[in-house]
Amino acid sequence: MEVLVQTLVSGILIGGIYALIGLGMTLIMGVMKIINLAHGQLMMVAMYVTYVLFEHFQLDPYFSLLIAMPTLFVIGALIQKYLLNPLIKVESILPENQVLMTVGIGMVLTEIVRFLFHSDYRSVKTPYSTAAIYIQGISFNVPMIVAFGIAVLLSAALFFFLLKTDLGKSVRATAQNKDAAIIMGINAEWITILTYGLGSALVAAAGTLLLPIFYLFPDIGGPFTLKAFVITMLGGMGSTVGAIVGGVVLGIAESLGATYISMALKDAVAMVIFVLVLIFLPGGLKTLTKI
Amino acid sequence: MLRVEHVDAGYGDVQVLWDVSFKVDAGEFAVLVGANGAGKSTIMKTISNLVQPSRGEIWFEETRLNGIPPNRIIDLGIAHVPEGRQLFPEMTVRENLELGSLTARAKSHRKQSMEWVMELFPRLRERQKQLAGTLSGGEQQMCAIARGLMSRPKMVLFDEPSLGLSPLLTQDIFRLTHQIHQEGLTILMVEQNVKQTLTICDRAYVLTNGKIVMEGKGRELLENQEVKEAFLGI
Amino acid sequence: MKFFETRHLTKHFGGLTAVNDINFEVEKGEIYGLIGPNGSGKTTLFNLITGYHPSSSGEILFQGQPIHRLSTWKICKLGIGRTFQIAKPLRRMTVLENVMTSAFNRAPKKSEAMEKAMEVLEFCELASKKDNSAKGLTIGDRKRLEIARALATAPELLLLDETMAGLTPQEQTAGAELIRKIRDSGITIIIVEHIMHVIMNICDRLLCINYGQEIARGTPAEVANNQAVIEAYLGKE
Amino acid sequence: EETIKVGIILPLTGGQAAFGEIEKNSFELALEEINAAGGINGKKLELLFEDDTGKPEVARSAAEKLINKDKVVMLGGGYGSSETFAIAGVAQQNRIPFLINTGSADKITEQKWDYVFRLNQPVSDYSLGLETFLASVVQPKTAAILFEDSAFGSGGAKTFQETCDRMGIKVVLSEGYSKGGMDFKPLLVKVKEANPDLIYMISYVMDAALLMTQSMELRIMPKLFVGGGAGFTLPEFSKNAGKAAEMVFSATLWYQTLPYPGAMEYYEKFVKKFGKDTEYHGAEAYSAAYVIADTLKRTKSMDPKDVRDALAATDMKTVFGPVKFVTDGKKINQNKLPTYLVQWSNGKLELVWPKDVASKAYVYPIEWEKVWK
Amino acid sequence: MKLPRWSTLVSIVVLLLFPLLVPSDYYRHIFIIALMWVVIGSSWNLLAGFTGQVSFGHAIFFGTGAYTAGLCASKLGISAWWGMLLGGPVALLVGCVIGWICFRLRGPYFALATIAIGEIFRLVATDWRSLTEGMEGILIIQTFRSKIPYYYLALFLAGACVFVIDRIMQSKWGYYFIAIREDQDSAEAIGISSFRYKSLSLMVSSFFTGLAGALYMNYMAFIDPHVVFALHDISIMAILVGIIGGVGTLWGPPAGAFIMVLLQETFRSSFFGLLPSWVSESHVLVFGLLVIFVIRFMANGLVGDWPKIQQLWSRSKQTLPANGGN
Ligand SMILES: Nc1ncnc2c1ncn2[C@@H]1O[C@H](COP(=O)(O)OP(=O)(O)OP(=O)(O)O)[C@@H](O)[C@H]1O
Ligand SMILES: Nc1ncnc2c1ncn2[C@@H]1O[C@H](COP(=O)(O)OP(=O)(O)OP(=O)(O)O)[C@@H](O)[C@H]1O
Ligand SMILES: CC(C)C[C@H](N)C(=O)O
Ligand SMILES: [Mg+2]
Ligand SMILES: [Mg+2]
């Protein structure tokens, strides 16, 4: 029983981090229909920003959110403006050119970071890194609870932004019908830049919050990119609530898979779920929950 | 008010418009008629700068439209109600309408505009919480028109507003466009429903294969033998 | 055995009934017209016949064989060709390659396919443009290519969806001529068209639908004078 | 001026580059000293470094290039087992001697390849030092084995399983995981439920730290935690795991306080020069450089055959321990060295077993509640 | 789109004579690897470039072929060369199953599903130690000490692959594949079973990729799951080979393979030691930049955009007035 409960608890908590990763992706995939294979690498860059702030300026990672997120916003916006948007206008045989561009971007980001920081493992050790609360012998990791809380907050903020503000509505409008959005006076190109920037900022939050409990080296991004897809497809593209749900479902599925199947196959469990969702529930959980 | 001068335009390497010139005066109700694919929508899109003319100029009042980014056109007071409604399907009617009033001027009047269009289309008031994608065709068209009006335009471009609508709804739409015109807006409309359109318009242009082949008062054209053959199947 | 018929054919899209209990039959060798206002379900009907959408209920019989459960390509193999309302050429192929691709349907050898394709191109008066890339064609040629592609599959029944929309009146006359020529070569045709003078001139019989339901059928003259059709489609004179 | 060229293949980019760098630095440190001391009989030794990027086919390309293009007289390096194997194949084929200093999969020296020599212990030997400790001190009844599913991890797990079988220890759980996991709790709750006396983990440094911090978080309290070398001996382990690293044992191949001549000096020189810690990988590389120099000094000629013979005849002391290539079971040209047990104590790694070389007495039994307070 | 006949001939002759003219095993090795990538890239291109199904999972077939050969040796105790017979068919079977699962998905969803399945293969191969030996990998002894047999085998395989693909593309299948790429609905309407022909394309593609895998096993003599089922180093590399050379062209992937392998090696070795070592440390960076550059400015790859490049070249030489059209 304790095994099951602890497995579920850690699954749910890890789900909070996953949700943050998925949140950025759901925006990028949902709005621009770009399969962003550089997502994890953007997160990695944010982690290095946080790391540098911690190492050299002793800034607490939670505080670095305020710097890492805007920094990644700018990086993301530049990528969209100078590398991705120009591709829309070029006719190529495969529409997947944008995807491949993100592969290139991911490689370049990784290698620039490697150039600057070498491949060394780095980490940010805070007093609260290993703090935990115990309820009836079940442990709740404090930084993960915080991350979960921030995930919920950010997704609520994103939800509010997308649903209640004109700008957010413009983002959704551009996603749903770009030409009509332009006719309404929306600068669609600018919106795509904003959206990729926001998506990057969100994944920056994930990276920054993850750092105190995890570690960092230049190649860390790749696996997270894959997770981001799973979460996004699971929750439904463009759905903020879906990102949370998708993150938690993935967290639980992985945890249960690790406990009851095999730790080595937990990522395979995630991938199997992913393929099943693609085939049998192409709209993700969104089609069931409608949000 | 609107002058289109010697415009060539097209998509990529396919040229659709050939030396198109026409004008619409302030307060006028002008109509473009022509077969499917003649290039009517392309003209509308060229005015909205969604399609860049490769030659020629377009003037609105004192402004040259060439080169202005398409999303700034609405600021000048031109609203485009596009072909096929082009609503934001996963947003509510109200949100769709709000998105019609993003320009600074329109934003400050959003409340009044909303009232105004809801008066015009009481059906939309009933359905304001419904997702636009689930509206019936006629309702969708109303929503698209209302969304265009939300920007408080001086001129509205209607692209086949009766497309896919039952005759009854088509009548409604015609009544409404007429009413909007009466309220002082300049209108440029594209319609398949040639007979009815020619009956209510001030001025009409006939487009064939991307060229203006005829122009005149609506009723005059109605009597024209060629028009009758080409569009009325008589 | 009827050449082609539908029985109680119905299609729902969610709550919308796009085609509602349609029954009609087509004789071999005739040109059968299908008219109706925009959105009345004509294209959907074509999509049902060609298996592009599964029907919700009802049957479709081609030469006595039920085809409503078959997939699109099998239906084509059986001898039903179609054009798309929005032309769907294979954009980065030449005109000849486009038509050859269709011709492979009956002519597995490349030389045969080439021969057949050239024949069809001559027939459709596109031969002079055979090496043009499909994406650069004018509207009229695109529509012709659409017909040529369907013809090259060597169909017995050809479904034409607004193949004359966007053509000049002269081109329309030529188009009507082409359609007649196709029929004279022994191919049965169902045609959807909004251009009344074409429909009235070339069709042997007409079916008019509205909201997915039949509102009239008969000879062109009968349908044109039908009150319901005038109200829903032709407009009051 | 003519130099004697030796090719060194290491992962300088890619996921293992951190260790590749320690080794490269150690090679360069040794090279400087060797050349300062007169080089190879008056000629300068030159090390040509090639990056295998952590991929076997690149390692192969690198080896081909060094042999065929740069005409090196011998090869060194070899970090990851897969890459090492690829290089060994090329070396054997071209009859160029190859001195491995890190790649540890057992089968590399079991191929009867007479041009391939290994200075370091194979992975199956990693736990030998632990074995005597368990037998004479702990006598556990049950054990759990957690390992990363790399060649290194699964190979080590396999031999430790055999060790347990031999010693009558029941393995209640043996599970692999893929490197880079974020949350090991699902695995650890299973361990907790199985409640073994001993938890043996074969992990790289970051996984090692996470395994320990999360074990602490879940309050898993076996008689002892033991790492199977690699991650558990690195300074980063304690830096990252903090107090969760305390009292954790680990098998190790080397430790700077070992009574090998120059071991401590090497350690201090490295730290001084690069401002970073070094560990057994660095010592392996540093020693390999000296073995290479020694071989080249002794060889009759620079003909590969002669170099090979000279290498085979090596019998010297290095900071990593004595080097002498012997035949050991299926293995040939394998250096035979003992392995040791270390324990983390107050953030410092102490050599605790065998007793005669210990830098500090081991702490056992351990009161985890106190340690983790 | 087509290379002139003489340049094809010249390249064939050069490739045939290469190992005899260049005695260095190092360059022979590089060419063997490049030829292997010709096979993988061309196979990928058949499915993605010609048929429009962009696979991000070709490592599945490569790995399957490699493991078929490897398991022949490690489990059946027969020569890994049997893999050169079995690897293709086994990969083809795997291809059939994957096609059956994935071809109901279109466009990016297909791509994502292939990534996921590729990862599943890698993870399962890693964990299924009783079959695959996991990450300890499978080890055989190379049959030949000389590179020359491997070279000609790789050359034969590459030649066969390109030849078969060329034949296919000239036949009805080729027309059908392109039709599916251009417009699947339209293809169905002219009697093409998109499922059947996509599957055929995948089968040929996986067959050759599997053979390349089997060749890899025999030549490299060592495989483990992270090497042969690698997402980045195999699946994405296959795409890059195609993209850089030019998708949807016969000669694009072969050109891409040589460019990629040679460039990678050149940079990895800091231009054969001529440049400082930081160049080699940043070779992946240069590679990434190259990818970005090609996609940004040569959307159809070197071969695909060759006319455009030639035009630019001649224009810059003649300094003609820039003409707006493109
Ligand atoms: N986005 C596009 N890309 C390429 N060609 C296009 C595009 N849009 C329209 N066309 C072509 O341009 C021509 C003119 O189209 P347009 O939509 O302007 O005609 P229309 O007169 O509005 O017709 P309809 O009555 O069908 O609305 C047609 O041949 C059409 O196929
Ligand atoms: N895939 C679909 N999903 C949902 N509704 C659809 C779909 N396809 C068509 N419809 C709806 O079915 C109805 C009939 O459409 P259809 O395209 O058959 O009309 P049509 O008679 O061909 O019109 P037109 O003359 O404009 O071509 C329309 O209301 C349309 O919106
Ligand atoms: C597989 C190898 C990279 C492991 C290495 N020999 C080590 O001891 O860490
Ligand atoms: Mg139009
Ligand atoms: Mg239609």
Side-chain angles (χ1 to χ4, degrees), chain E residues 142-200:
Chain E
Q142 270 188 338
T143 316
F144 307 108
R145 186 181 295 179
S146 160
K147 296 259 180 278
I148 293 186
Y150 294 107
Y151 179 88
Y152 283 108
L153 192 64
L155 182 61
F156 172 75
L157 191 57
C161 178
V162 173
F163 177 77
V164 167
I165 289 174
D166 184 42
R167 288 292 96 203
I168 287 178
M169 291 317 296
Q170 300 296 330
S171 75
K172 166 174 149 177
W173 284 19
Y175 284 78
Y176 276 19
F177 290 170
I178 293 185
I180 290 167
R181 177 188 79 193
E182 293 296 302
D183 193 321
Q184 189 174 320
D185 293 335
S186 180
E188 288 267 342
I190 54 173
I192 301 172
S193 164
S194 57
F195 181 79
R196 175 185 297 169
Y197 284 93
K198 281 196 256 183
S199 300
L200 285 172

Side-chain angles (χ1 to χ4, degrees), chain D residues 12-13 22 26-27 42 56 111 116 120-121 152 174 178 196 215 220 266 272 275 284 315 322 332 340 350 353:
Chain D
L12 301 175
T13 59
I22 293 187
S26 299
F27 268 114
Q111 305 299 319
V116 177
N120 58 299
Q121 302 91 327
F152 172 63
S174 171
S178 36
S215 294
I220 302 174
Y266 156 69
K272 187 150 162 273
E284 288 168 346
D315 185 0
I332 63 165
Y340 310 90
E350 302 287 355
W353 191 265

Side-chain angles (χ1 to χ4, degrees), chain D residues 135-342:
Chain D
S136 56
V137 181
V138 185
Q139 286 144 356
K141 303 243 156 3
T142 53
I145 309 173
L146 312 181
F147 57 97
E148 73 160 46
D149 55 8
S150 65
F152 172 63
S154 47
K158 204 163 29 177
T159 45
F160 190 71
Q161 172 91 43
E162 286 158 19
T163 307
C164 289
D165 292 347
R166 196 161 2 100
M167 297 175 66
I169 302 171
K170 192 167 160 239
V171 176
V172 288
L173 186 132
S174 171
E175 196 163 319
Y177 64 85
S178 36
K179 190 156 81 181
M182 197 155 70
D183 190 16
F184 289 96
K185 282 174 209 156
L187 176 56
L188 291 171
V189 288
K190 273 193 281 185
V191 175
K192 185 174 184 183
E193 188 165 75
N195 193 24
D197 289 343
L198 160 74
I199 301 178
Y200 186 69
M201 295 166 282
I202 309 171
S203 309
Y204 273 103
V205 57
M206 291 303 173
D207 292 335
L210 287 183
L211 276 168
M212 278 319 300
T213 50
Q214 293 180 8
S215 294
M216 175 174 87
E217 190 190 317
L218 293 180
R219 305 275 133 183
I220 302 174
M221 301 172 188
K223 285 189 179 153
L224 71 168
F225 287 100
V226 188
F232 288 88
T233 58
L234 296 182
E236 283 95 333
F237 169 64
S238 126
K239 199 173 136 217
N240 282 290
K243 63 186 173 202
E246 281 301 295
M247 297 300 131
V248 172
F249 288 93
S250 175
T252 192
L253 306 185
W254 179 83
Y255 189 63
Q256 60 264 23
T257 63
L258 279 170
Y260 296 139
M264 200 61 191
E265 287 91 322
Y266 156 69
Y267 177 80
E268 280 163 356
K269 273 186 288 194
F270 187 100
V271 172
K272 187 150 162 273
K273 178 148 191 234
F274 300 105
K276 271 186 204 169
D277 249 323
T278 179
E279 35 73 80
Y280 72 83
H281 293 99
E284 288 168 346
Y286 184 81
S287 303
Y290 274 98
V291 173
I292 289 170
D294 178 65
T295 303
L296 296 176
K297 279 180 201 160
R298 286 184 288 104
T299 182
K300 280 199 298 226
S301 77
M302 287 302 156
D303 183 74
K305 175 88 183 50
D306 292 334
V307 176
R308 191 216 86 89
D309 291 344
L311 181 57
T314 300
D315 185 0
M316 70 180 290
K317 295 215 176 333
T318 69
V319 299
F320 193 65
V323 175
K324 185 171 179 182
F325 298 105
V326 297
T327 300
D328 175 23
K330 281 192 277 176
K331 298 185 184 64
I332 63 165
N333 296 335
Q334 172 69 53
N335 187 28
K336 195 82 182 119
L337 286 169
T339 56
Y340 310 90
L341 202 59
V342 284

Side-chain angles (χ1 to χ4, degrees), chain B residues 13-14 16 35-38 160 162-167 169 171 192 195 208-209 229-230 232-234, chain C residues 38-39 135-139 142 162 165-169 171-172 196-197 210-211 231-233 236-237:
Chain B
D13 39 12
V14 188
V16 174
N36 286 91
E160 299 201 33
S162 71
L163 187 89
L165 299 189
S166 75
L169 280 167
Q171 296 310 324
Q192 288 281 12
K195 220 173 100 198
T208 306
N209 260 2
E229 261 174 40
L232 305 173
I234 312 171
Chain C
N38 288 107
K135 67 179 172 187
L137 292 180
T138 62
I139 315 151
R142 244 185 249 201
E162 302 203 24
L167 305 188
T168 61
E171 280 182 317
Q172 284 169 5
M196 273 309 112
H197 69 95
N210 194 13
Y211 294 111
E231 265 170 38
Y233 186 58
K236 278 161 271 190
E237 200 62 25

Side-chain angles (χ1 to χ4, degrees), chain B residues 36 85 137 163-164, chain C residues 11-14 16-19 34-47 52-53 85 161-162 192-194 209 211-212 233:
Chain B
N36 286 91
R85 295 145 205 168
L163 187 89
Chain C
K11 176 69 190 176
H12 307 288
F13 286 117
L16 174 92
T17 307
V19 170
L34 190 57
I35 59 171
N38 288 107
S40 57
K42 305 179 297 291
T43 300
T44 306
L45 195 53
F46 274 13
N47 285 339
Y52 185 65
H53 291 314
Q85 180 169 1
D161 196 353
E162 302 203 24
V192 165
E193 205 61 73
H194 284 298
I209 60 174
Y211 294 111
Y233 186 58

